[in-house]
Amino acid sequence: MKIFLSGITGSMGHCLLDSLEAETVVAGSAGRNGEVDGIKVYGYFDDVVEDFDVIIDFSNKFVTKDVLEFALKHKKPLVIATTDISEEVVKDIEAASKEIPIVYSHNMSVGVNAIDIILGKLVKMLENYDVEIIEAHHNQKIDSPSGTAKMLFETIKENRQELYPVYDRVDSREKRQKNELGISVIRAGTIAGMHSVIFAGMDELVEIKHTATSKRIFAKGALKAAKFLLTKENGLYDMKDVLNVDN
């Protein structure tokens, strides 16, 4: 499998390069022309001359729309692993998926997506419990809360539609409301990623938690998604499709 890697000079780009097995990255893109580990890096998508099978996007939300146009131009499958993408670009992704196969997920980790599936079942069983989400990442992460925290919240809300997110209780001088779902954020050190969902009931607490000890899990998930796309026609897929999970 020949890969074009968007965001090749970033931390996740380097992580994916380190995670390669039988795959090959033939070229990549970044803010300017250059080279990484002998691989050609382009500052402009129009300059790309290499042939490739699939595109993996680990860039940033301001670049993803250009990556999408690049994929459409070459009619190539696209894995979008970039987070904090605007609603406008999400609509562009949905439209583009009618012409090319796309995997788009807030988190490429197998474990996180397994938790997301379990959550849907837990919410139904623990319907009267208070729910809180806590997420932690390294001190260089820009977006807050994480895309994964948003994904977990949406899964919970699908099953308890009355819940609404509360991000800050500093100025709140009242007791917790029944339908609140608190989302707390930690940014510190080199934490690769931690997400915890707490269900607190009368005299008991249930917690489901995922901890990433390395960014390699996201790179490996993206590679798995890329291989999955090579067998697919046009359409929009997520990691549950990649894992072949009937949710």
Side-chain angles (χ1 to χ4, degrees):
M1 178 173 63
K2 296 184 292 185
I3 300 166
F4 182 93
L5 178 55
S6 172
I8 191 171
T9 60
S11 60
M12 280 309 308
H14 285 290
C15 189
L16 189 139
L17 290 175
D18 292 339
S19 302
L20 295 174
E21 295 177 357
E23 309 85 8
T24 302
V25 174
V26 297
S29 62
R32 58 183 179 181
N33 293 336
E35 202 172 89
V36 173
D37 296 341
I39 301 168
K40 177 69 175 179
V41 178
Y42 291 92
Y44 299 95
F45 290 111
D46 289 343
D47 296 336
V48 176
V49 295
E50 285 80 4
D51 183 34
F52 52 89
D53 301 313
V54 63
I55 303 166
I56 296 179
D57 177 34
F58 267 121
S59 57
N60 65 67
K61 63 180 181 179
F62 302 110
V63 178
T64 296
K65 188 167 185 176
D66 293 333
V67 178
L68 196 59
E69 293 173 356
F70 177 62
L72 285 169
K73 176 182 177 180
H74 291 272
K75 300 298 181 185
K76 297 293 186 179
L78 171 61
V79 177
I80 300 176
T82 296
T83 60
D84 198 27
I85 294 175
S86 70
E87 286 300 317
E88 177 187 353
V89 176
V90 170
K91 291 179 181 178
D92 291 334
I93 291 170
E94 293 169 350
S97 69
K98 297 176 182 179
E99 300 182 46
I100 58 174
I102 298 174
V103 167
Y104 171 50
S105 176
H106 291 294
N107 192 302
M108 306 306 293
S109 159
V110 171
V112 164
N113 283 278
I115 281 180
D116 195 42
I117 294 167
I118 294 169
L119 266 184
K121 303 180 187 303
L122 272 180
V123 175
K124 295 174 184 176
M125 291 186 283
L126 307 177
E127 59 181 351
N128 294 318
Y129 287 53
D130 294 332
V131 189
E132 298 276 313
I133 296 174
I134 302 171
E135 64 100 335
H137 284 87
H138 53 86
N139 58 22
Q140 300 301 302
K141 187 171 178 63
I142 298 173
D143 56 310
S144 172
S146 68
T148 302
K150 293 176 182 177
M151 178 179 77
L152 298 176
F153 169 73
E154 289 301 326
T155 296
I156 294 168
K157 188 172 177 61
E158 283 175 9
N159 296 276
R160 283 180 60 180
Q161 296 183 5
E162 71 276 11
L163 295 181
Y164 60 89
V166 174
Y167 300 103
D168 187 0
R169 293 192 174 102
V170 172
D171 296 325
S172 176
R173 306 301 297 175
E174 59 182 16
K175 67 179 184 179
R176 187 187 197 278
Q177 300 302 303
K178 177 178 174 58
N179 294 327
E180 288 183 11
L181 190 156
I183 300 179
S184 303
V185 174
I186 297 168
R187 293 289 177 267
T190 59
I191 301 171
M194 185 280 287
H195 293 85
S196 178
V197 182
I198 296 171
F199 293 86
M202 185 65 69
D203 300 326
E204 68 176 349
L205 182 149
V206 177
E207 181 177 9
I208 185 168
K209 182 177 181 179
H210 178 273
T211 300
T213 57
S214 166
K215 291 182 179 180
R216 285 194 298 270
I217 62 171
F218 311 121
K220 289 184 178 296
L223 289 169
K224 189 177 185 70
K227 293 174 185 176
F228 165 86
L229 283 182
L230 295 182
T231 66
K232 298 300 176 183
E233 299 296 331
N234 306 342
L236 183 58
Y237 306 93
D238 60 21
M239 283 302 289
K240 296 181 187 68
D241 297 311
V242 174
L243 299 175
N244 194 26
V245 175
D246 183 9
N247 188 18

